[in-house]
Amino acid sequence: MAADYPDIDIAPYIDHSLLIPTATTEQVEQWCEQADRFHFAAVCVYPAHVRFAAEYLYGKKPKVCTVIGFPTGATTSAVKLYEAQEAVENGATELDVVINLGWLKAGKTDEVHREIAEICEETGQTVKVILETNLLTDAEKRLAAEICMDAGAAFLKTSTGWNGGATVADVRLLKEVAKEAVGIKASGGIRSIDQALDLILAGATRLGTSRGVDLLRQRDTLEKRE
């Protein structure tokens, strides 16, 4: 690796994400095959593709992740819970849930907590809560992180990617709040190996990106130049 970075294998950090509206079954199959071949942590797909991904990856190491209330977080709690439960029934073991940002900004912290806690309790799966940090003040980021950790979230996730992406500053802030209690998922706009490594060094324990294979190629290119 470049002299400024330790020798980090980024593959186990990657949630190989395919969250474009036009994603086809053929593309999902390709993402699953790549996740298995490169030993990524998970493949992240829309709920409609969960059953296929779970069947393809049955008995393999990558986990099947899906998104709930994506990308706005503004669906009702009942709809989010049903979506989460159905996803688990179809084979998802990780759920990336968008919080209700309007509730957070309006000070309805009990509602935010109740919604996330219910999903965590009723599904019993790994919940990564998407905070959409680019739309929050630092005080709101801290508050949201504390609420979601108390509700049982296993990860704090920076972004959907629809309103800007992950930043080193936000990862550091979330890491400061979380310490070692939960994981940190940096997501959105991760295009370069240097950016990926900077986020990991800042505290990210997962990277949500559609460019996982390209990041590995960039890493290999750097190693060959040294």
mmCIF file with all atom_site columns, all heavy atoms in Angstrom, residues 54-79:
data_model
loop_
_atom_site.group_PDB
_atom_site.id
_atom_site.type_symbol
_atom_site.label_atom_id
_atom_site.label_alt_id
_atom_site.label_comp_id
_atom_site.label_asym_id
_atom_site.label_entity_id
_atom_site.label_seq_id
_atom_site.pdbx_PDB_ins_code
_atom_site.Cartn_x
_atom_site.Cartn_y
_atom_site.Cartn_z
_atom_site.occupancy
_atom_site.B_iso_or_equiv
_atom_site.pdbx_formal_charge
_atom_site.auth_seq_id
_atom_site.auth_comp_id
_atom_site.auth_asym_id
_atom_site.auth_atom_id
_atom_site.pdbx_PDB_model_num
ATOM 1   N N   . ALA A 1 54 ? -30.484 -14.371 -1.301 1.00 0.00 ? 54 ALA A N   1
ATOM 2   C CA  . ALA A 1 54 ? -30.333 -15.334 -0.211 1.00 0.00 ? 54 ALA A CA  1
ATOM 3   C C   . ALA A 1 54 ? -30.183 -16.758 -0.740 1.00 0.00 ? 54 ALA A C   1
ATOM 4   O O   . ALA A 1 54 ? -29.399 -17.554 -0.208 1.00 0.00 ? 54 ALA A O   1
ATOM 5   C CB  . ALA A 1 54 ? -31.523 -15.242 0.730  1.00 0.00 ? 54 ALA A CB  1
ATOM 6   N N   . GLU A 1 55 ? -30.917 -17.079 -1.792 1.00 0.00 ? 55 GLU A N   1
ATOM 7   C CA  . GLU A 1 55 ? -30.801 -18.415 -2.386 1.00 0.00 ? 55 GLU A CA  1
ATOM 8   C C   . GLU A 1 55 ? -29.442 -18.585 -3.059 1.00 0.00 ? 55 GLU A C   1
ATOM 9   O O   . GLU A 1 55 ? -28.801 -19.635 -2.942 1.00 0.00 ? 55 GLU A O   1
ATOM 10  C CB  . GLU A 1 55 ? -31.938 -18.636 -3.383 1.00 0.00 ? 55 GLU A CB  1
ATOM 11  C CG  . GLU A 1 55 ? -33.304 -18.779 -2.710 1.00 0.00 ? 55 GLU A CG  1
ATOM 12  C CD  . GLU A 1 55 ? -34.447 -18.867 -3.699 1.00 0.00 ? 55 GLU A CD  1
ATOM 13  O OE1 . GLU A 1 55 ? -34.197 -18.675 -4.922 1.00 0.00 ? 55 GLU A OE1 1
ATOM 14  O OE2 . GLU A 1 55 ? -35.592 -19.099 -3.270 1.00 0.00 ? 55 GLU A OE2 1
ATOM 15  N N   . TYR A 1 56 ? -28.966 -17.547 -3.744 1.00 0.00 ? 56 TYR A N   1
ATOM 16  C CA  . TYR A 1 56 ? -27.675 -17.622 -4.431 1.00 0.00 ? 56 TYR A CA  1
ATOM 17  C C   . TYR A 1 56 ? -26.535 -17.777 -3.420 1.00 0.00 ? 56 TYR A C   1
ATOM 18  O O   . TYR A 1 56 ? -25.583 -18.539 -3.657 1.00 0.00 ? 56 TYR A O   1
ATOM 19  C CB  . TYR A 1 56 ? -27.451 -16.377 -5.284 1.00 0.00 ? 56 TYR A CB  1
ATOM 20  C CG  . TYR A 1 56 ? -26.212 -16.454 -6.152 1.00 0.00 ? 56 TYR A CG  1
ATOM 21  C CD1 . TYR A 1 56 ? -26.312 -16.836 -7.488 1.00 0.00 ? 56 TYR A CD1 1
ATOM 22  C CD2 . TYR A 1 56 ? -24.949 -16.162 -5.646 1.00 0.00 ? 56 TYR A CD2 1
ATOM 23  C CE1 . TYR A 1 56 ? -25.175 -16.924 -8.289 1.00 0.00 ? 56 TYR A CE1 1
ATOM 24  C CE2 . TYR A 1 56 ? -23.817 -16.251 -6.425 1.00 0.00 ? 56 TYR A CE2 1
ATOM 25  C CZ  . TYR A 1 56 ? -23.928 -16.640 -7.752 1.00 0.00 ? 56 TYR A CZ  1
ATOM 26  O OH  . TYR A 1 56 ? -22.807 -16.733 -8.533 1.00 0.00 ? 56 TYR A OH  1
ATOM 27  N N   . LEU A 1 57 ? -26.625 -17.052 -2.316 1.00 0.00 ? 57 LEU A N   1
ATOM 28  C CA  . LEU A 1 57 ? -25.532 -17.031 -1.343 1.00 0.00 ? 57 LEU A CA  1
ATOM 29  C C   . LEU A 1 57 ? -25.715 -18.036 -0.212 1.00 0.00 ? 57 LEU A C   1
ATOM 30  O O   . LEU A 1 57 ? -24.954 -18.020 0.754  1.00 0.00 ? 57 LEU A O   1
ATOM 31  C CB  . LEU A 1 57 ? -25.387 -15.616 -0.757 1.00 0.00 ? 57 LEU A CB  1
ATOM 32  C CG  . LEU A 1 57 ? -24.858 -14.559 -1.737 1.00 0.00 ? 57 LEU A CG  1
ATOM 33  C CD1 . LEU A 1 57 ? -24.965 -13.161 -1.133 1.00 0.00 ? 57 LEU A CD1 1
ATOM 34  C CD2 . LEU A 1 57 ? -23.415 -14.857 -2.145 1.00 0.00 ? 57 LEU A CD2 1
ATOM 35  N N   . TYR A 1 58 ? -26.686 -18.903 -0.336 1.00 0.00 ? 58 TYR A N   1
ATOM 36  C CA  . TYR A 1 58 ? -26.926 -19.898 0.714  1.00 0.00 ? 58 TYR A CA  1
ATOM 37  C C   . TYR A 1 58 ? -25.662 -20.745 0.949  1.00 0.00 ? 58 TYR A C   1
ATOM 38  O O   . TYR A 1 58 ? -25.066 -21.278 0.018  1.00 0.00 ? 58 TYR A O   1
ATOM 39  C CB  . TYR A 1 58 ? -28.079 -20.820 0.330  1.00 0.00 ? 58 TYR A CB  1
ATOM 40  C CG  . TYR A 1 58 ? -28.388 -21.858 1.383  1.00 0.00 ? 58 TYR A CG  1
ATOM 41  C CD1 . TYR A 1 58 ? -29.104 -21.512 2.522  1.00 0.00 ? 58 TYR A CD1 1
ATOM 42  C CD2 . TYR A 1 58 ? -27.939 -23.172 1.253  1.00 0.00 ? 58 TYR A CD2 1
ATOM 43  C CE1 . TYR A 1 58 ? -29.380 -22.447 3.512  1.00 0.00 ? 58 TYR A CE1 1
ATOM 44  C CE2 . TYR A 1 58 ? -28.205 -24.118 2.238  1.00 0.00 ? 58 TYR A CE2 1
ATOM 45  C CZ  . TYR A 1 58 ? -28.928 -23.750 3.365  1.00 0.00 ? 58 TYR A CZ  1
ATOM 46  O OH  . TYR A 1 58 ? -29.189 -24.684 4.336  1.00 0.00 ? 58 TYR A OH  1
ATOM 47  N N   . GLY A 1 59 ? -25.241 -20.807 2.198  1.00 0.00 ? 59 GLY A N   1
ATOM 48  C CA  . GLY A 1 59 ? -24.052 -21.573 2.540  1.00 0.00 ? 59 GLY A CA  1
ATOM 49  C C   . GLY A 1 59 ? -22.743 -20.865 2.253  1.00 0.00 ? 59 GLY A C   1
ATOM 50  O O   . GLY A 1 59 ? -21.664 -21.433 2.491  1.00 0.00 ? 59 GLY A O   1
ATOM 51  N N   . LYS A 1 60 ? -22.808 -19.638 1.732  1.00 0.00 ? 60 LYS A N   1
ATOM 52  C CA  . LYS A 1 60 ? -21.604 -18.872 1.435  1.00 0.00 ? 60 LYS A CA  1
ATOM 53  C C   . LYS A 1 60 ? -21.402 -17.803 2.510  1.00 0.00 ? 60 LYS A C   1
ATOM 54  O O   . LYS A 1 60 ? -22.311 -17.500 3.280  1.00 0.00 ? 60 LYS A O   1
ATOM 55  C CB  . LYS A 1 60 ? -21.702 -18.248 0.044  1.00 0.00 ? 60 LYS A CB  1
ATOM 56  C CG  . LYS A 1 60 ? -21.893 -19.288 -1.062 1.00 0.00 ? 60 LYS A CG  1
ATOM 57  C CD  . LYS A 1 60 ? -21.967 -18.631 -2.428 1.00 0.00 ? 60 LYS A CD  1
ATOM 58  C CE  . LYS A 1 60 ? -22.327 -19.615 -3.528 1.00 0.00 ? 60 LYS A CE  1
ATOM 59  N NZ  . LYS A 1 60 ? -21.390 -20.734 -3.655 1.00 0.00 ? 60 LYS A NZ  1
ATOM 60  N N   . LYS A 1 61 ? -20.226 -17.215 2.526  1.00 0.00 ? 61 LYS A N   1
ATOM 61  C CA  . LYS A 1 61 ? -19.859 -16.309 3.617  1.00 0.00 ? 61 LYS A CA  1
ATOM 62  C C   . LYS A 1 61 ? -20.568 -14.946 3.568  1.00 0.00 ? 61 LYS A C   1
ATOM 63  O O   . LYS A 1 61 ? -20.974 -14.434 4.615  1.00 0.00 ? 61 LYS A O   1
ATOM 64  C CB  . LYS A 1 61 ? -18.342 -16.105 3.631  1.00 0.00 ? 61 LYS A CB  1
ATOM 65  C CG  . LYS A 1 61 ? -17.853 -15.337 4.853  1.00 0.00 ? 61 LYS A CG  1
ATOM 66  C CD  . LYS A 1 61 ? -16.342 -15.295 4.911  1.00 0.00 ? 61 LYS A CD  1
ATOM 67  C CE  . LYS A 1 61 ? -15.866 -14.523 6.132  1.00 0.00 ? 61 LYS A CE  1
ATOM 68  N NZ  . LYS A 1 61 ? -14.385 -14.487 6.229  1.00 0.00 ? 61 LYS A NZ  1
ATOM 69  N N   . PRO A 1 62 ? -20.707 -14.290 2.405  1.00 0.00 ? 62 PRO A N   1
ATOM 70  C CA  . PRO A 1 62 ? -21.318 -12.954 2.413  1.00 0.00 ? 62 PRO A CA  1
ATOM 71  C C   . PRO A 1 62 ? -22.739 -12.972 2.952  1.00 0.00 ? 62 PRO A C   1
ATOM 72  O O   . PRO A 1 62 ? -23.533 -13.865 2.649  1.00 0.00 ? 62 PRO A O   1
ATOM 73  C CB  . PRO A 1 62 ? -21.292 -12.554 0.930  1.00 0.00 ? 62 PRO A CB  1
ATOM 74  C CG  . PRO A 1 62 ? -20.197 -13.354 0.332  1.00 0.00 ? 62 PRO A CG  1
ATOM 75  C CD  . PRO A 1 62 ? -20.246 -14.673 1.055  1.00 0.00 ? 62 PRO A CD  1
ATOM 76  N N   . LYS A 1 63 ? -23.064 -11.971 3.736  1.00 0.00 ? 63 LYS A N   1
ATOM 77  C CA  . LYS A 1 63 ? -24.403 -11.842 4.282  1.00 0.00 ? 63 LYS A CA  1
ATOM 78  C C   . LYS A 1 63 ? -25.308 -11.131 3.272  1.00 0.00 ? 63 LYS A C   1
ATOM 79  O O   . LYS A 1 63 ? -24.832 -10.445 2.364  1.00 0.00 ? 63 LYS A O   1
ATOM 80  C CB  . LYS A 1 63 ? -24.357 -11.059 5.596  1.00 0.00 ? 63 LYS A CB  1
ATOM 81  C CG  . LYS A 1 63 ? -23.499 -11.736 6.664  1.00 0.00 ? 63 LYS A CG  1
ATOM 82  C CD  . LYS A 1 63 ? -23.470 -10.921 7.934  1.00 0.00 ? 63 LYS A CD  1
ATOM 83  C CE  . LYS A 1 63 ? -22.534 -11.530 8.972  1.00 0.00 ? 63 LYS A CE  1
ATOM 84  N NZ  . LYS A 1 63 ? -22.910 -12.907 9.333  1.00 0.00 ? 63 LYS A NZ  1
ATOM 85  N N   . VAL A 1 64 ? -26.606 -11.312 3.445  1.00 0.00 ? 64 VAL A N   1
ATOM 86  C CA  . VAL A 1 64 ? -27.572 -10.624 2.593  1.00 0.00 ? 64 VAL A CA  1
ATOM 87  C C   . VAL A 1 64 ? -28.161 -9.460  3.378  1.00 0.00 ? 64 VAL A C   1
ATOM 88  O O   . VAL A 1 64 ? -28.784 -9.639  4.429  1.00 0.00 ? 64 VAL A O   1
ATOM 89  C CB  . VAL A 1 64 ? -28.689 -11.569 2.131  1.00 0.00 ? 64 VAL A CB  1
ATOM 90  C CG1 . VAL A 1 64 ? -29.731 -10.792 1.325  1.00 0.00 ? 64 VAL A CG1 1
ATOM 91  C CG2 . VAL A 1 64 ? -28.115 -12.701 1.288  1.00 0.00 ? 64 VAL A CG2 1
ATOM 92  N N   . CYS A 1 65 ? -27.923 -8.265  2.862  1.00 0.00 ? 65 CYS A N   1
ATOM 93  C CA  . CYS A 1 65 ? -28.381 -7.024  3.479  1.00 0.00 ? 65 CYS A CA  1
ATOM 94  C C   . CYS A 1 65 ? -29.429 -6.372  2.574  1.00 0.00 ? 65 CYS A C   1
ATOM 95  O O   . CYS A 1 65 ? -29.358 -6.494  1.343  1.00 0.00 ? 65 CYS A O   1
ATOM 96  C CB  . CYS A 1 65 ? -27.178 -6.098  3.668  1.00 0.00 ? 65 CYS A CB  1
ATOM 97  S SG  . CYS A 1 65 ? -27.581 -4.432  4.241  1.00 0.00 ? 65 CYS A SG  1
ATOM 98  N N   . THR A 1 66 ? -30.383 -5.701  3.176  1.00 0.00 ? 66 THR A N   1
ATOM 99  C CA  . THR A 1 66 ? -31.341 -4.932  2.390  1.00 0.00 ? 66 THR A CA  1
ATOM 100 C C   . THR A 1 66 ? -31.623 -3.613  3.088  1.00 0.00 ? 66 THR A C   1
ATOM 101 O O   . THR A 1 66 ? -31.188 -3.381  4.224  1.00 0.00 ? 66 THR A O   1
ATOM 102 C CB  . THR A 1 66 ? -32.642 -5.721  2.153  1.00 0.00 ? 66 THR A CB  1
ATOM 103 O OG1 . THR A 1 66 ? -33.399 -5.066  1.124  1.00 0.00 ? 66 THR A OG1 1
ATOM 104 C CG2 . THR A 1 66 ? -33.487 -5.820  3.421  1.00 0.00 ? 66 THR A CG2 1
ATOM 105 N N   . VAL A 1 67 ? -32.357 -2.742  2.393  1.00 0.00 ? 67 VAL A N   1
ATOM 106 C CA  . VAL A 1 67 ? -32.662 -1.413  2.920  1.00 0.00 ? 67 VAL A CA  1
ATOM 107 C C   . VAL A 1 67 ? -34.138 -1.332  3.290  1.00 0.00 ? 67 VAL A C   1
ATOM 108 O O   . VAL A 1 67 ? -34.996 -1.878  2.602  1.00 0.00 ? 67 VAL A O   1
ATOM 109 C CB  . VAL A 1 67 ? -32.294 -0.314  1.907  1.00 0.00 ? 67 VAL A CB  1
ATOM 110 C CG1 . VAL A 1 67 ? -30.786 -0.136  1.846  1.00 0.00 ? 67 VAL A CG1 1
ATOM 111 C CG2 . VAL A 1 67 ? -32.843 -0.611  0.515  1.00 0.00 ? 67 VAL A CG2 1
ATOM 112 N N   . ILE A 1 68 ? -34.417 -0.606  4.376  1.00 0.00 ? 68 ILE A N   1
ATOM 113 C CA  . ILE A 1 68 ? -35.767 -0.470  4.896  1.00 0.00 ? 68 ILE A CA  1
ATOM 114 C C   . ILE A 1 68 ? -36.113 1.019   5.008  1.00 0.00 ? 68 ILE A C   1
ATOM 115 O O   . ILE A 1 68 ? -35.339 1.804   5.549  1.00 0.00 ? 68 ILE A O   1
ATOM 116 C CB  . ILE A 1 68 ? -35.885 -1.129  6.286  1.00 0.00 ? 68 ILE A CB  1
ATOM 117 C CG1 . ILE A 1 68 ? -35.436 -2.596  6.238  1.00 0.00 ? 68 ILE A CG1 1
ATOM 118 C CG2 . ILE A 1 68 ? -37.310 -0.978  6.838  1.00 0.00 ? 68 ILE A CG2 1
ATOM 119 C CD1 . ILE A 1 68 ? -36.254 -3.493  5.346  1.00 0.00 ? 68 ILE A CD1 1
ATOM 120 N N   . GLY A 1 69 ? -37.283 1.392   4.476  1.00 0.00 ? 69 GLY A N   1
ATOM 121 C CA  . GLY A 1 69 ? -37.679 2.804   4.502  1.00 0.00 ? 69 GLY A CA  1
ATOM 122 C C   . GLY A 1 69 ? -36.787 3.663   3.632  1.00 0.00 ? 69 GLY A C   1
ATOM 123 O O   . GLY A 1 69 ? -36.642 4.868   3.875  1.00 0.00 ? 69 GLY A O   1
ATOM 124 N N   . PHE A 1 70 ? -36.215 3.058   2.625  1.00 0.00 ? 70 PHE A N   1
ATOM 125 C CA  . PHE A 1 70 ? -35.187 3.697   1.797  1.00 0.00 ? 70 PHE A CA  1
ATOM 126 C C   . PHE A 1 70 ? -35.823 4.419   0.604  1.00 0.00 ? 70 PHE A C   1
ATOM 127 O O   . PHE A 1 70 ? -36.719 3.862   -0.025 1.00 0.00 ? 70 PHE A O   1
ATOM 128 C CB  . PHE A 1 70 ? -34.237 2.609   1.292  1.00 0.00 ? 70 PHE A CB  1
ATOM 129 C CG  . PHE A 1 70 ? -32.963 3.077   0.646  1.00 0.00 ? 70 PHE A CG  1
ATOM 130 C CD1 . PHE A 1 70 ? -31.835 3.316   1.406  1.00 0.00 ? 70 PHE A CD1 1
ATOM 131 C CD2 . PHE A 1 70 ? -32.898 3.261   -0.725 1.00 0.00 ? 70 PHE A CD2 1
ATOM 132 C CE1 . PHE A 1 70 ? -30.645 3.720   0.803  1.00 0.00 ? 70 PHE A CE1 1
ATOM 133 C CE2 . PHE A 1 70 ? -31.718 3.666   -1.330 1.00 0.00 ? 70 PHE A CE2 1
ATOM 134 C CZ  . PHE A 1 70 ? -30.596 3.898   -0.561 1.00 0.00 ? 70 PHE A CZ  1
ATOM 135 N N   . PRO A 1 71 ? -35.358 5.642   0.248  1.00 0.00 ? 71 PRO A N   1
ATOM 136 C CA  . PRO A 1 71 ? -34.241 6.376   0.843  1.00 0.00 ? 71 PRO A CA  1
ATOM 137 C C   . PRO A 1 71 ? -34.646 7.495   1.805  1.00 0.00 ? 71 PRO A C   1
ATOM 138 O O   . PRO A 1 71 ? -33.777 8.160   2.342  1.00 0.00 ? 71 PRO A O   1
ATOM 139 C CB  . PRO A 1 71 ? -33.562 6.982   -0.383 1.00 0.00 ? 71 PRO A CB  1
ATOM 140 C CG  . PRO A 1 71 ? -34.706 7.306   -1.298 1.00 0.00 ? 71 PRO A CG  1
ATOM 141 C CD  . PRO A 1 71 ? -35.726 6.209   -1.068 1.00 0.00 ? 71 PRO A CD  1
ATOM 142 N N   . THR A 1 72 ? -35.946 7.732   2.026  1.00 0.00 ? 72 THR A N   1
ATOM 143 C CA  . THR A 1 72 ? -36.340 8.919   2.800  1.00 0.00 ? 72 THR A CA  1
ATOM 144 C C   . THR A 1 72 ? -36.526 8.672   4.283  1.00 0.00 ? 72 THR A C   1
ATOM 145 O O   . THR A 1 72 ? -36.400 9.602   5.077  1.00 0.00 ? 72 THR A O   1
ATOM 146 C CB  . THR A 1 72 ? -37.652 9.499   2.255  1.00 0.00 ? 72 THR A CB  1
ATOM 147 O OG1 . THR A 1 72 ? -38.729 8.584   2.540  1.00 0.00 ? 72 THR A OG1 1
ATOM 148 C CG2 . THR A 1 72 ? -37.559 9.751   0.752  1.00 0.00 ? 72 THR A CG2 1
ATOM 149 N N   . GLY A 1 73 ? -36.885 7.448   4.660  1.00 0.00 ? 73 GLY A N   1
ATOM 150 C CA  . GLY A 1 73 ? -37.180 7.174   6.061  1.00 0.00 ? 73 GLY A CA  1
ATOM 151 C C   . GLY A 1 73 ? -38.541 7.659   6.503  1.00 0.00 ? 73 GLY A C   1
ATOM 152 O O   . GLY A 1 73 ? -38.889 7.562   7.685  1.00 0.00 ? 73 GLY A O   1
ATOM 153 N N   . ALA A 1 74 ? -39.341 8.153   5.566  1.00 0.00 ? 74 ALA A N   1
ATOM 154 C CA  . ALA A 1 74 ? -40.588 8.818   5.938  1.00 0.00 ? 74 ALA A CA  1
ATOM 155 C C   . ALA A 1 74 ? -41.827 7.943   5.805  1.00 0.00 ? 74 ALA A C   1
ATOM 156 O O   . ALA A 1 74 ? -42.943 8.436   5.923  1.00 0.00 ? 74 ALA A O   1
ATOM 157 C CB  . ALA A 1 74 ? -40.765 10.088  5.092  1.00 0.00 ? 74 ALA A CB  1
ATOM 158 N N   . THR A 1 75 ? -41.657 6.641   5.565  1.00 0.00 ? 75 THR A N   1
ATOM 159 C CA  . THR A 1 75 ? -42.809 5.747   5.609  1.00 0.00 ? 75 THR A CA  1
ATOM 160 C C   . THR A 1 75 ? -43.202 5.508   7.064  1.00 0.00 ? 75 THR A C   1
ATOM 161 O O   . THR A 1 75 ? -42.448 5.815   7.976  1.00 0.00 ? 75 THR A O   1
ATOM 162 C CB  . THR A 1 75 ? -42.486 4.403   4.929  1.00 0.00 ? 75 THR A CB  1
ATOM 163 O OG1 . THR A 1 75 ? -41.231 3.921   5.419  1.00 0.00 ? 75 THR A OG1 1
ATOM 164 C CG2 . THR A 1 75 ? -42.391 4.556   3.422  1.00 0.00 ? 75 THR A CG2 1
ATOM 165 N N   . THR A 1 76 ? -44.389 4.961   7.282  1.00 0.00 ? 76 THR A N   1
ATOM 166 C CA  . THR A 1 76 ? -44.856 4.768   8.654  1.00 0.00 ? 76 THR A CA  1
ATOM 167 C C   . THR A 1 76 ? -44.085 3.653   9.346  1.00 0.00 ? 76 THR A C   1
ATOM 168 O O   . THR A 1 76 ? -43.489 2.789   8.701  1.00 0.00 ? 76 THR A O   1
ATOM 169 C CB  . THR A 1 76 ? -46.349 4.424   8.686  1.00 0.00 ? 76 THR A CB  1
ATOM 170 O OG1 . THR A 1 76 ? -46.545 3.138   8.076  1.00 0.00 ? 76 THR A OG1 1
ATOM 171 C CG2 . THR A 1 76 ? -47.181 5.481   7.961  1.00 0.00 ? 76 THR A CG2 1
ATOM 172 N N   . SER A 1 77 ? -44.134 3.670   10.656 1.00 0.00 ? 77 SER A N   1
ATOM 173 C CA  . SER A 1 77 ? -43.443 2.640   11.432 1.00 0.00 ? 77 SER A CA  1
ATOM 174 C C   . SER A 1 77 ? -43.987 1.256   11.122 1.00 0.00 ? 77 SER A C   1
ATOM 175 O O   . SER A 1 77 ? -43.227 0.278   11.063 1.00 0.00 ? 77 SER A O   1
ATOM 176 C CB  . SER A 1 77 ? -43.576 2.931   12.929 1.00 0.00 ? 77 SER A CB  1
ATOM 177 O OG  . SER A 1 77 ? -42.921 4.130   13.265 1.00 0.00 ? 77 SER A OG  1
ATOM 178 N N   . ALA A 1 78 ? -45.296 1.159   10.910 1.00 0.00 ? 78 ALA A N   1
ATOM 179 C CA  . ALA A 1 78 ? -45.903 -0.140  10.610 1.00 0.00 ? 78 ALA A CA  1
ATOM 180 C C   . ALA A 1 78 ? -45.393 -0.679  9.283  1.00 0.00 ? 78 ALA A C   1
ATOM 181 O O   . ALA A 1 78 ? -45.132 -1.880  9.146  1.00 0.00 ? 78 ALA A O   1
ATOM 182 C CB  . ALA A 1 78 ? -47.426 -0.015  10.585 1.00 0.00 ? 78 ALA A CB  1
ATOM 183 N N   . VAL A 1 79 ? -45.260 0.194   8.307  1.00 0.00 ? 79 VAL A N   1
ATOM 184 C CA  . VAL A 1 79 ? -44.754 -0.221  6.990  1.00 0.00 ? 79 VAL A CA  1
ATOM 185 C C   . VAL A 1 79 ? -43.294 -0.641  7.096  1.00 0.00 ? 79 VAL A C   1
ATOM 186 O O   . VAL A 1 79 ? -42.881 -1.650  6.520  1.00 0.00 ? 79 VAL A O   1
ATOM 187 C CB  . VAL A 1 79 ? -44.931 0.921   5.967  1.00 0.00 ? 79 VAL A CB  1
ATOM 188 C CG1 . VAL A 1 79 ? -44.153 0.625   4.683  1.00 0.00 ? 79 VAL A CG1 1
ATOM 189 C CG2 . VAL A 1 79 ? -46.403 1.122   5.644  1.00 0.00 ? 79 VAL A CG2 1
#
